[in-house]
Amino acid sequence: MQPGAVADAIWPVLIDVVWPILVEVAPRVVRISVFIAVGVFLANVAVGFGLVERIATVSKYLTRPANLPDEVGTAIVTTAASTTAGYGMLAEFRESGRLDDTETLIAVTMNTFFGFVQHIFTFYAPVLIPILGLEVGLLYVGARALIALGITIAGVAAGTVLLAGRDGDAGERAAATTPDGGIADASTSAAGVGKDETEPPLAVLETAAEKTWPKLKRIVPRLAVVYVLVTLIVRTQDLESITAAAEPLTALLGLPGASLPVIAVFAFDTTAGAATIAPMIGSTFTPRTAVATMLLGGIISFAVSTFKRSIPFQYGIWGPAFGSKVIAVNTALKIVFIAAALIALLAPI
């Protein structure tokens, strides 16, 4: 085949398939990249200005029982405002050597409840509760809050057990980290030097900005490539068949037959799922079975959301190897705690 003929054959595919995907993915990558940049920048600023020590006075009740360095508290507080920025801070701490892989996994787990908090004000209160009604809405949001809190407490417990005796190691690792680590030199100047020897504010900001750019150059291309590939697969493969896995679960849990189509909708769009089940509450569903159905839809949606969002995001932040560990831990804990919530909701009173 002549080169011209190959180009003629490929060009329509690029126009019809690849270009729409690039248009769809580009804004998402830009938005996430901005939040990552903010998180990494704030991580360096927080350490450079010594804010870690101030935030630690509040977050130490979580970080110290988990035997984690104080700066993890900064990422946790940031997560309540932006999950992506909080993850960016943790990625920076790991890259700099202030957190090892085990500590990072525990910190990510502890972030769960604080990542949930922001959704209360941006989605659950203004959108979901009005759709479901006050009783069912509060019961569902309360169940999700307890699930997130349980995962965070599990993270603290894991740190207490797995990191016992290691709480002093973080400072030694920070002191040994080279300037290329990004944060270690700034934290050393903030924590180990007198206030009169700390850098001027403008210098701290400039240093933080300089250390942010190399991280973005490494993370953003990887993020964009994975997002494009995942979106291409989603466009060309049938992922909705995965909701068929819910049928034996609904039968096992004794949920109404109408729960299956609700779960199918809920697994792909939470708002549409809530709108689907709302008219049937009180007739087909009790408040408890309605919430159980939506939680079950959440379990089924993990397979879809993990593939469409978590893999590109986590691989972009951490790389495939460690990103896979983060996804595995997050998914396993969510399934375990949602299953516990289902048992509690459907247990005979």
Side-chain angles (χ1 to χ4, degrees):
M1 183 179 291
Q2 297 297 321
V6 173
D8 291 340
I10 293 177
W11 187 249
V13 176
L14 293 176
I15 295 296
D16 296 337
V17 179
V18 178
W19 177 249
I21 290 175
L22 292 177
V23 171
E24 176 185 339
V25 167
R28 190 182 310 164
V29 171
V30 170
R31 183 174 64 255
I32 293 175
S33 301
V34 169
F35 280 114
I36 292 173
V38 169
V40 174
F41 179 76
L42 288 179
N44 285 293
V45 169
V47 176
F49 280 125
L51 297 178
V52 166
E53 289 77 9
R54 300 177 187 178
I55 295 175
T57 60
V58 176
S59 61
K60 66 183 179 182
Y61 298 106
L62 281 175
T63 57
R64 293 187 182 178
N67 299 313
L68 289 173
D70 289 341
E71 47 265 57
V72 172
T74 313
I76 289 174
V77 172
T78 302
T79 300
S82 168
T83 304
T84 307
Y87 267 76
M89 296 183 79
L90 288 177
E92 173 67 1
F93 293 143
R94 178 173 175 265
E95 289 282 341
S96 71
R98 299 183 70 81
L99 294 176
D100 62 24
D101 284 0
T102 302
E103 290 169 331
T104 305
L105 282 172
I106 290 171
V108 167
T109 302
M110 289 170 57
N111 263 354
T112 303
F113 178 74
F114 299 90
F116 171 83
V117 167
Q118 62 171 299
H119 296 300
I120 294 177
F121 304 102
T122 60
F123 176 67
Y124 289 119
V127 178
L128 210 63
I129 291 177
I131 292 175
L132 295 172
L134 192 61
E135 181 184 4
V136 176
L138 289 178
L139 183 60
Y140 176 74
V141 175
R144 293 303 300 260
L146 288 175
I147 290 167
L149 182 60
I151 294 173
T152 291
I153 293 173
V156 175
T160 302
V161 174
L162 298 177
L163 304 180
R166 295 176 57 185
D167 51 328
D169 294 347
E172 296 175 8
R173 287 200 306 273
T177 305
T178 64
D180 292 337
I183 271 187
D185 53 345
S187 65
T188 302
S189 65
V193 183
K195 289 182 180 296
D196 56 332
E197 297 180 38
T198 56
E199 290 185 89
L202 185 58
V204 172
L205 295 176
E206 290 176 350
T207 301
E210 290 172 0
K211 292 172 181 174
T212 299
W213 177 240
K215 299 293 188 300
L216 288 179
K217 286 197 298 184
R218 185 181 66 257
I219 291 175
V220 172
R222 184 170 60 200
L223 187 72
V225 169
V226 178
Y227 257 120
V228 169
L229 291 177
V230 167
T231 306
L232 181 61
I233 293 173
V234 169
R235 288 282 187 88
T236 56
Q237 303 296 320
D238 178 23
L239 298 181
E240 295 192 14
S241 58
I242 196 169
T243 58
E247 187 169 5
L249 290 175
T250 58
L252 178 65
L253 295 172
L255 294 173
S259 62
L260 193 59
V262 171
I263 290 170
V265 176
F266 200 90
F268 291 90
D269 188 284
T270 303
T271 305
T276 301
I277 199 172
M280 294 185 279
I281 297 173
S283 54
T284 305
F285 293 93
T286 67
R288 283 172 172 261
T289 57
V291 172
T293 298
M294 290 187 286
L295 290 178
L296 187 56
I299 291 180
I300 302 301
S301 72
F302 286 151
V304 178
S305 64
T306 294
F307 191 79
K308 292 176 66 176
R309 291 183 288 274
S310 293
I311 288 178
F313 176 70
Q314 302 292 1
Y315 280 22
I317 291 279
W318 312 105
F322 190 71
S324 296
K325 294 179 182 179
V326 172
I327 292 170
V329 170
N330 278 341
T331 302
L333 286 171
K334 286 178 181 178
I335 291 176
V336 167
F337 278 90
I338 289 179
L342 287 171
I343 293 172
L345 281 167
L346 300 176
I349 299 176

